[in-house]
Amino acid sequence: MGRIRVLSDNVANKIAAGEVVERPASVVKELLENALDAGAHEIRIDTENAGRRLMRIQDNGCGMLRDDALLAFERHATSKLSDVKDLLAIDTLGFRGEALPSIASVSRLLLETRASEEETGTAVEIAGGKLLRCDELARPVGTTISVRDLFFNVPARKKFLRSDQTELAHVASLVTHYSLGHANKRFELYHEGRELLNVTPVSTLPERAFQVFGPDIMEDLVEMEPKTFTIPLPEPETAQFVLEGLISGPHVQKLNRNSVFLFVNGRLIRDRVLLHALSAAYHNLMPAGCFPFALLFLNCDAGEVDVNVHPSKTEVRFRHGSAVHDFVRDAVREVLMASRPASSMPLAPSPIPAAQRAAELPFSEFTAMTQVEVAEPETELVEPPLAALPEIIIAPPPRPEQSRPPEPPVCAPMPAVTVKRVPDTHGALDQLPQDWDRVDSLGALPDLRPLGQLHDSFIVAAGRDGLWIIDQHVAHERVLFEQVLRQRAAGAVEVQQLLMPLVLQLDPAQQLEYARIGDELNAHGFETEPFGQRTIAIKAAPAGVGPGDIEKVVFEVLEIAERELRSASLEEIRRNVCATIACRAAIKINTRLELKKIEWLLRALASCEYPMTCPHGRPIALRYSTKDILKSFHRI
């Protein structure tokens, strides 16, 4: 008897289930995608025991005929593909025909469905891959699938599931993702009768983002209008891509990519090309290891993207990956440059408990349902001694013709407490502009009036929209960074010759890095050449770098992690060199500035393309809005 044999359908289905069904969220994903493919506009998901005991997905889609309901549990049975050519242009979320048989082989599944062509529906019950019954029933058009006792016949898989909270978080995250990707549909998610998500159809993406995340995050988001990019192909064909969505300013910095939502033709994906393009768009605008909030939708012809590259269909491959990468990167950067989102000064947190605050909010608190909030112990508010108050140096007053109404004094934000409204006996502020309560951007920089310095390090300025505090070092660093970039691009870097060459001794790793980026150093104004074994001589340096900083700049550039350099493009290396030069040449903190220098710095910052952050990602300016000031004084 030979050693090779054909596996039984039961074993084959369980092996397939190992690829398709990893956890309860995997089941919800497959059934949710089937409901969307069926044209459903209302989808409800009920779970018990985080999906271990029950997952029920109800939809009002087209439903199935009786024969189709039985055939759907055969392996590779699908209504979405008929020919191998269809694989080249898949426009549905599901297509393999493995989901239902794989799920039915490791659970107790009940399918109830009815198509509009039939007067009665069909109920199909399967346990562990075995058909138990197929009956008629009365029900509306649509499909309901109940999955009970997941992995009841595969205990080895069941014991690898995580805690109920973790598994439920995966389910809630998945449903939330798809609710964001399909704003024109209704999604409901309940766990043991408790509502986790309930969003109604809306017409715009910002409305759906408001439903899911609430009003607080919306203040930090910038809407990206649809941007079109066309790739010329052999006549008469073209490949067209459309990108739209919501992105956050550089001041919103997340510690992981959980707040990055990417959709390609309505499919939730985790694509390395798009993730790298997004990171490249925020390069030199955000610190390394931080990530923005992004909700991006890329739509293109189905033939331009291959979705059949991963069992869970979360990865895709583009025919023109490099062009798509550059398009997404440039489109996001263009929006950031145009909007110039400003960082608001953080207010004191509300003393109201998180659970009570979540119950009062008029939107679905998905985050509160899936993450554990640890409340900090309340501390008594102690007034600081007078000696601890910061020193404010007041600049000379402006000329009479430039006088403006006095701005509210600088004050610390008061804790948000429930108090009765204090009667206003001092009159209204009639000098405020009509749009005083708008959310402004860094486009207000040209109108700022400097008041002075705080600790010889921060510029305090007044604007019509509130009070501004600017970090003078990072502001000058951003100005110099863009100046060096322009000079480098034009090949006109200002150079200072050294009276005596500066000789530097390198270690073996630095020597290898110098061999790789030596030409780039020279292009930025350094004149270097090998000077013996592991030694280089510097004969000239950029004009803005002081003599004492030349050695530090060169070593900082060379000591960038080898792993980072190996994966970085030439453009990223160039920007890193420019950032290092700008940082060393910029005004330092604890430096007193004359009023004319402050005014020049504000004008130069206002003319920058990206005045939001320094090249290393630190925020440049914080705004204490007029609205927040009035709230702190209980005037509104």
Side-chain angles (χ1 to χ4, degrees):
M1 183 176 179
R3 297 182 179 180
I4 297 177
R5 54 187 173 272
V6 178
L7 294 175
S8 65
D9 290 342
N10 186 33
V11 176
N13 283 335
K14 289 183 179 179
I15 293 175
E19 297 179 351
V20 177
V21 185
E22 179 184 0
R23 57 188 351 139
S26 305
V27 176
V28 175
K29 176 180 183 296
E30 297 292 344
L31 301 182
L32 185 60
E33 290 179 347
N34 284 343
L36 292 172
D37 285 338
H41 290 88
E42 296 183 1
I43 302 175
R44 170 169 175 154
I45 299 99
D46 292 271
T47 62
E48 294 180 7
N49 195 199
R52 288 180 171 90
R53 186 183 309 125
L54 171 67
M55 289 170 282
R56 182 186 297 113
I57 291 84
Q58 306 176 50
D59 68 70
N60 64 343
C62 63
M64 289 184 282
L65 301 172
R66 176 184 175 88
D67 293 340
D68 288 342
L70 287 171
L71 190 60
F73 291 97
E74 298 293 331
R75 290 197 65 196
H76 306 301
T78 177
S79 62
K80 302 163 187 178
L81 292 177
S82 59
D83 190 85
V84 67
K85 295 181 180 179
D86 295 337
L87 288 173
L88 303 178
I90 298 173
D91 56 2
T92 54
L93 298 177
F95 56 91
R96 292 196 179 111
E98 290 182 303
L100 280 180
S102 298
I103 296 170
S105 67
V106 292
S107 67
R108 308 182 197 275
L109 186 146
L110 174 62
L111 167 68
E112 298 175 327
T113 184
R114 179 192 157 213
S116 58
E117 296 89 339
E118 295 183 334
E119 296 182 356
T120 60
T122 303
V124 179
E125 185 175 358
I126 297 179
K130 296 181 180 180
L131 178 63
L132 299 183
R133 66 184 178 92
C134 179
D135 301 326
E136 291 186 358
L137 81 162
R139 59 159 290 124
V141 174
T143 301
T144 300
I145 298 181
S146 302
V147 179
R148 298 181 181 273
D149 302 332
L150 184 64
F151 298 136
F152 78 97
N153 55 347
V154 192
R157 294 295 307 278
K158 190 174 184 178
K159 70 178 183 180
F160 279 96
L161 295 178
R162 303 299 182 182
S163 65
D164 282 3
Q165 184 178 7
T166 300
E167 297 299 339
L168 181 60
H170 281 284
V171 174
S173 176
L174 175 79
V175 179
T176 302
H177 278 59
Y178 274 101
S179 71
L180 292 169
H182 302 269
N184 61 337
K185 302 180 187 298
R186 180 188 185 98
F187 289 83
E188 299 177 62
L189 174 62
Y190 294 87
H191 179 63
E192 298 180 354
R194 181 167 58 103
E195 178 185 296
L196 299 186
L197 183 72
N198 189 345
V199 291
T200 57
V202 292
S203 57
T204 65
L205 180 60
E207 290 177 311
R208 176 51 56 91
F210 177 86
Q211 288 178 328
V212 175
F213 299 111
D216 293 339
I217 194 173
M218 298 303 297
E219 298 179 358
D220 298 321
L221 299 184
V222 179
E223 185 174 4
M224 176 184 291
E225 298 296 334
K227 295 182 179 296
T228 303
F229 173 66
T230 302
I231 301 177
L233 298 177
E235 294 292 343
E237 297 182 0
T238 58
Q240 191 174 77
F241 295 83
V242 179
L243 180 69
E244 59 182 327
L246 298 170
I247 57 174
S248 64
H251 60 282
V252 178
Q253 299 172 2
K254 307 292 184 179
L255 298 180
N256 52 49
R257 292 189 176 94
N258 291 346
S259 296
V260 176
F261 307 91
L262 301 177
F263 293 86
V264 174
N265 292 343
R267 181 188 302 277
L268 174 65
I269 63 157
R270 281 305 213 195
D271 182 66
R272 295 182 180 180
V273 172
L274 297 185
L275 288 173
H276 187 273
L278 186 64
S279 299
Y282 283 86
H283 188 61
N284 292 131
L285 298 178
M286 188 173 288
C290 293
F291 306 91
F293 176 98
L295 178 56
L296 296 178
F297 296 85
L298 182 65
N299 296 312
C300 62
D301 183 75
E304 289 298 316
V305 57
D306 183 8
V307 301
N308 190 28
V309 296
H310 193 275
S312 62
K313 305 187 290 292
T314 56
E315 297 180 8
V316 297
R317 184 180 295 115
F318 294 97
R319 286 179 59 190
H320 304 89
S322 179
V324 172
H325 173 279
D326 294 345
F327 164 58
V328 173
R329 178 199 61 198
D330 296 342
V332 173
R333 272 224 177 230
E334 182 181 342
V335 172
L336 291 175
M337 182 176 64
S339 61
R340 299 187 173 194
S343 302
S344 297
M345 193 174 297
L347 298 176
S350 171
I352 303 176
Q356 178 182 346
R357 186 168 68 252
E360 296 174 353
L361 294 176
F363 58 90
S364 298
E365 275 287 278
F366 159 68
T367 303
M369 298 296 184
T370 58
Q371 297 180 359
V372 178
E373 287 192 29
V374 181
E376 296 183 359
E378 296 184 2
T379 57
E380 184 178 359
L381 183 62
V382 180
E383 183 177 357
L386 292 178
L389 294 177
E391 174 192 4
I392 298 181
I393 302 173
I394 303 298
R399 294 189 296 272
E401 61 269 19
Q402 294 180 341
S403 61
R404 302 182 183 180
E407 295 289 333
V410 180
C411 64
M414 299 182 64
V417 295
T418 304
V419 297
K420 294 183 179 180
R421 184 182 177 87
V422 180
D424 189 356
T425 60
H426 300 276
L429 299 179
D430 55 359
Q431 301 295 329
L432 292 174
Q434 294 182 355
D435 55 351
W436 64 273
D437 60 343
R438 75 188 191 283
V439 178
D440 210 335
S441 68
L442 289 170
L445 285 175
D447 299 329
L448 296 186
R449 175 168 56 91
L451 302 177
Q453 283 180 283
L454 181 67
H455 294 311
D456 289 341
S457 303
F458 304 96
I459 297 172
V460 181
R464 64 171 185 163
D465 61 333
L467 192 70
W468 291 73
I469 300 180
I470 295 99
D471 187 325
Q472 64 190 34
H473 170 70
V474 296
H476 194 210
E477 186 178 347
R478 166 54 66 177
V479 172
L480 293 179
F481 173 72
E482 295 192 4
Q483 176 183 329
V484 174
L485 271 182
R486 289 192 298 269
Q487 293 177 351
R488 169 66 180 83
V493 179
E494 297 182 10
V495 178
Q496 57 179 344
Q497 297 292 330
L498 304 183
L499 294 177
M500 295 290 294
L502 180 62
V503 180
L504 301 182
Q505 186 75 27
L506 307 180
D507 60 32
Q510 292 170 342
Q511 177 67 29
L512 293 174
E513 301 302 339
Y514 172 75
R516 181 172 182 244
I517 66 170
D519 293 340
E520 192 63 34
L521 274 175
N522 293 337
H524 280 85
F526 290 95
E527 185 180 338
T528 65
E529 62 180 20
F531 193 73
Q533 181 68 19
R534 297 209 309 269
T535 305
I536 60 173
I538 303 176
K539 299 181 179 180
V545 181
D549 290 329
I550 295 176
E551 180 178 351
K552 297 177 182 178
V553 170
V554 174
F555 278 121
E556 281 184 19
V557 173
L558 295 178
E559 289 175 0
I560 297 176
E562 181 181 357
R563 176 185 57 81
E564 180 180 344
L565 275 179
R566 296 303 178 193
S567 61
S569 65
L570 182 62
E571 176 64 22
E572 290 172 337
I573 295 174
R574 181 174 301 145
R575 298 178 74 89
N576 286 335
V577 175
C578 292
T580 302
I581 294 173
C583 183
R584 287 296 176 179
I587 299 171
K588 303 299 186 290
I589 60 173
N590 300 320
T591 301
R592 182 164 297 188
L593 302 178
E594 298 178 357
L595 180 60
K596 291 184 178 179
K597 290 185 177 179
I598 294 177
E599 292 176 342
W600 171 86
L601 183 57
L602 292 179
R603 289 195 303 269
L605 180 63
S607 64
C608 288
E609 290 184 330
Y610 305 102
M612 294 85 72
T613 63
C614 77
H616 301 99
R618 293 190 297 270
I620 292 176
L622 296 178
R623 178 177 61 91
Y624 192 14
S625 68
T626 304
K627 184 176 181 179
D628 292 333
I629 293 175
L630 295 178
K631 280 185 176 180
S632 298
F633 283 104
H634 303 292
R635 284 187 172 270
I636 59 174

